[in-house]
Structures are given as C-alpha cells and as structure tokens.
Amino acid sequence: MSKIQKPATKSRNGLRVCLQQQYASTSDFSLHLDLDIPSTGVTAIFGPSGSGKTTLLRCIAGLEDRLTGNISLHDDEWLSPSSCLPPHKRPVGYVFQEANLFPHLTAKSNLEFACKRATKVTPSISYEEVIQLLNIAPILSHYPSELSGGERQRVAIARALLIQPKLLLMDEPLTALDETLKQEILPYLEKVCRQANMPILYVSHSLDEVIRLADSMIVLDKGRVIEQGNTQDLLGQLGTAFSHHQGASVVISGKVSERLEEWGLSRLEVNGQDIKIQSGEEKVGDTLRIRVQAKDVSLTLAEDEKSSILNRLKVSVDDIARDPKDQSMVLVRLLAGDTPILARITRLSAHTLDLKKGQHTIAQIKSVALLR
C-alpha cells in the first residue's frame, strides 16, 4: 500500500474535512479523516462496503451526529468545536442512489421546487443550461412513475444542480440501474462533471465509473484514508490497492489528432505517439480519457510492425513487481514519456524477455481493448 498523503496546511480554496466519529454500538468502526479536497473537479471516494464512503458524505451534508472536528468550504465553517451549521443552511446538492423525486409532482415541478430552494441569488448554472446538459426537455411533463430509472436519475441530478450548490455530493448514483441504463446515463454524468464549476464528491465501488469520471481519488477502509491522490498517478503505481485489483488499469489522456473515417477509428496523440481507438462522437482537437487494462497490454522487443495490433508504443520499464494474488504473474510499470502504463504478464514472459528496470521495449495494445 502507498503511504497516506496528508495535507500540510489548511486549504484556502477547496473543501477541508478534519473529523472523527465514533459509534458506540459498532466498536470496529470509527471515522477518522484529515482531508483537503480540490475546489473544482471530481474527487472519487472509493473503497469496500462499510469503509465509510456514504458516512463521509452524510457528515459533510450535516446529516450525522457525534462528530468532532472541522468542516469548511472556501473558508466558510460548517463544523467547528464551537458551532455546527444545520443541513438546510449548507450549500450542498445531494444525489442519492435512488432518485427520490416527489411522486405527485411532474419532472418540471420537481425542478421548480429546487429552484425555490436555490442558495444563490445569481445562479451559477441556469435552468435552461441544466435542461440542455441532461437532455430532459422531452420528459418535463412526465411524472416519476412514467420515467425510466435513467430518466429519473437525470432529473434528480438536475434538481441537485438547480439548488445552485457550492458542493455536489453523489452517492453511488448509478448503483440502482442495470448495465444498459448505466451506459445511457454515464455520458450525461461526464458532461456534468466537466462543466460544473464546483467540487464534486463521487462515491462508488465501481472502478469503471471512477476511472471515467474522477480527477482525484480518496480510498477509504474502515473509516481511514489509505490512499489519496491524482487518479492517473494512483492507478499507474505498483503496490497500491488498484494495481492488484482484478481490473488493474491506467488512465491515459490524449488529444484527438485525426478521424480515420474509412476505418471507423480515431487517432489519439499521447506524448508524441499515436493510439488508435474506435471512433465515437469526438472531434479533432477534443481531449479524451481512455482506460487501458493491464491484462490487455503485451510486450515485445521486436520492431516488426506486421501485426494486427495497431497500437505499438515505445516505452521504458520503470518497475516490476510480483502479483501477490497469483505467483505466476508479474506487473510491469512502463513509461511512455511521462505517461504510466501497466502490463500484467507471466513471470515466464518477463524472464524470456529478460526485463529489467530502464530497459526499452514496445507495449502492444489492441484498439478494441481500449475503454472510454
């Protein structure tokens, strides 16, 4: 495990959380946190069930008691040893696992109710912008019972935004949806996360969602922070909770340099090298984040390009470690410029290639294996 990264000083721009909570009836769990969270972007709260993810969000929203410590946002104190701001006075938008819409109101009336509770006189995001962002204009006249699960959750997200919060809390907003609905709503969540000018805390146990949405991560276990940092950096390290995860992956960001329309592919420029991915709705100049799973990366020392594998990146070996869950495998940390890539290969393969730190090699990645 990597060392916990603790803040050195109090943040003057983002969310500051330093608190303790002890449950007398549950002796094996107590919350003990010391966190600085950026003022913009998405911070994923990740960890197993019972690690304290939802409890952390409830503490920030003012829904938990028996707390000691400090919570502040932009230096506005919500909790201190001498005071505690009640939940209804905290400028927080909260999206729960279930949409929790008022069943007797239409989608539009649910949103109008949120507008009346808005915490800002001058909205940071307008009603029209929210409707367009989440593409819910066609369903505004419908009651919750007439909406699909994905549509209800999009309305719930819109309602949370229209409160005009300074902080958005999202507690596993996709967990109640089946896989088809998750894939339907994820693009809308991405838009919200990229365009909302506020910190977003996103609780999830899904590595797929975290990789797709999060700029930074906080990993909890039994109420404690065990890892914290930039998403790309954490995923690209060996010896973390993620490197031994079944879906061990890295996030690679690059700019779309060309669309190969004839082949249904797009070319992504990453540190002076090209990665070809299956085309979507991206345009030339767009920045994309893609997920590369360690199991989908193979290594070769040969320069021969007569292969069905299109993506062949020149990399150097940065580190090698045995997989503690499978002694026949090793994890290899590679660098393409300053971009980390993980490869999960057999110990025999590593021995055959005589892999060593600093060695130059070629990472092969199938285009069809790349995930958005």
Side-chain angles (χ1 to χ4, degrees):
M1 299 290 248
S2 63
K3 293 181 179 179
I4 299 172
Q5 300 177 20
K6 289 187 177 181
T9 58
K10 180 179 177 180
S11 170
R12 293 292 169 184
N13 296 309
L15 176 67
R16 172 70 172 156
V17 179
C18 181
L19 53 82
Q20 297 182 36
Q21 182 188 44
Q22 180 69 50
Y23 290 94
S25 59
T26 312
S27 58
D28 63 343
F29 179 85
S30 63
L31 204 62
H32 186 89
L33 301 171
D34 188 359
L35 297 167
D36 269 320
I37 295 169
S39 60
T40 58
V42 182
T43 299
I45 312 298
F46 187 81
S49 297
S51 59
K53 302 186 299 295
T54 295
T55 301
L56 170 58
L57 260 60
R58 289 178 55 83
C59 289
I60 293 170
L63 302 176
E64 291 283 326
D65 54 15
R66 298 187 296 278
L67 292 178
T68 58
N70 297 86
I71 299 176
S72 62
L73 178 67
H74 307 313
D75 293 332
D76 293 332
E77 284 196 337
W78 296 359
L79 174 70
S80 72
S82 60
S83 65
C84 180
L85 195 68
H88 68 277
K89 291 189 176 181
R90 300 189 185 194
V92 170
Y94 207 136
V95 181
F96 297 88
Q97 295 178 13
E98 299 289 345
N100 293 328
L101 301 176
F102 295 117
H104 62 289
L105 298 179
T106 63
K108 182 178 181 180
S109 296
N110 268 278
L111 299 185
E112 289 173 342
F113 178 83
C115 292
K116 293 175 183 177
R117 293 187 58 238
T119 59
K120 298 178 184 178
V121 176
T122 303
S124 58
I125 185 167
S126 71
Y127 181 87
E128 292 75 17
E129 287 173 323
V130 171
I131 300 304
Q132 182 178 7
L133 181 65
L134 291 160
N135 191 26
I136 54 177
I139 60 174
L140 289 178
S141 62
H142 297 184
Y143 287 89
S145 61
E146 301 172 316
L147 303 176
S148 70
E151 289 170 337
R152 286 195 294 272
Q153 202 64 321
R154 278 154 55 195
V155 174
I157 295 169
R159 182 176 62 179
L161 290 172
L162 288 172
I163 294 174
Q164 304 299 331
K166 294 180 180 178
L167 172 67
L168 183 61
L169 306 177
M170 307 186 83
D171 187 5
E172 300 198 67
L174 305 185
T175 194
L177 307 179
D178 62 31
E179 191 58 35
T180 299
L181 288 176
K182 284 183 182 179
Q183 295 308 314
E184 171 193 312
I185 198 173
L186 263 171
Y188 297 107
L189 267 180
E190 284 184 301
K191 290 180 183 178
V192 169
C193 292
R194 300 293 161 246
Q195 296 184 31
N197 187 28
M198 69 184 79
I200 299 174
L201 294 189
Y202 189 95
V203 163
S204 180
H205 63 270
S206 167
L207 192 55
D208 284 337
E209 292 172 32
V210 169
I211 287 173
R212 189 159 176 176
L213 300 173
D215 303 296
S216 58
M217 304 176 67
I218 295 168
V219 186
L220 299 183
D221 189 27
K222 296 180 181 178
R224 304 294 198 274
V225 177
I226 59 171
E227 290 167 349
Q228 180 183 359
N230 174 275
T231 300
Q232 187 170 1
D233 292 342
L234 273 184
L235 293 176
Q237 295 175 12
L238 299 184
T240 68
F242 303 103
S243 63
H244 305 310
H245 191 281
Q246 185 177 7
S249 309
V250 296
V251 176
I252 295 179
S253 296
K255 185 167 289 187
V256 178
S257 60
E258 184 182 5
R259 286 181 60 93
L260 306 172
E261 302 289 357
E262 180 181 1
W263 310 110
L265 299 172
S266 292
R267 193 190 305 273
L268 200 65
E269 193 275 325
V270 179
N271 285 340
Q273 301 193 70
D274 288 335
I275 293 179
K276 297 177 183 67
I277 62 172
Q278 291 180 305
S279 291
E281 297 181 359
E282 68 277 352
K283 302 182 292 295
V284 173
D286 285 353
T287 297
L288 293 185
R289 288 160 51 117
I290 57 173
R291 175 185 177 187
V292 181
Q293 294 185 282
K295 67 181 181 64
D296 293 324
V297 179
S298 63
L299 301 179
T300 180
L301 303 180
E303 292 285 352
D304 182 14
E305 295 184 359
K306 293 181 179 179
S307 169
S308 64
I309 300 178
L310 296 175
N311 297 314
R312 297 164 58 82
L313 301 179
K314 293 180 180 180
V315 296
S316 60
V317 177
D318 185 63
D319 202 1
I320 304 173
R322 286 196 183 187
D323 187 334
K325 296 183 179 179
D326 187 344
Q327 291 301 302
S328 70
M329 308 296 291
V330 295
L331 280 165
V332 185
R333 186 179 193 267
L334 309 157
L335 290 176
D338 59 0
T339 298
I341 298 173
L342 297 182
R344 190 171 188 265
I345 62 176
T346 64
R347 286 172 55 203
L348 176 58
S349 295
H351 173 75
T352 302
L353 294 173
D354 194 23
L355 291 183
K356 298 181 178 66
K357 290 184 180 182
Q359 181 177 356
H360 294 286
T361 183
I362 296 171
Q364 302 181 123
I365 312 166
K366 291 183 178 181
S367 296
V368 294
L370 295 172
L371 306 172
R372 294 170 185 258

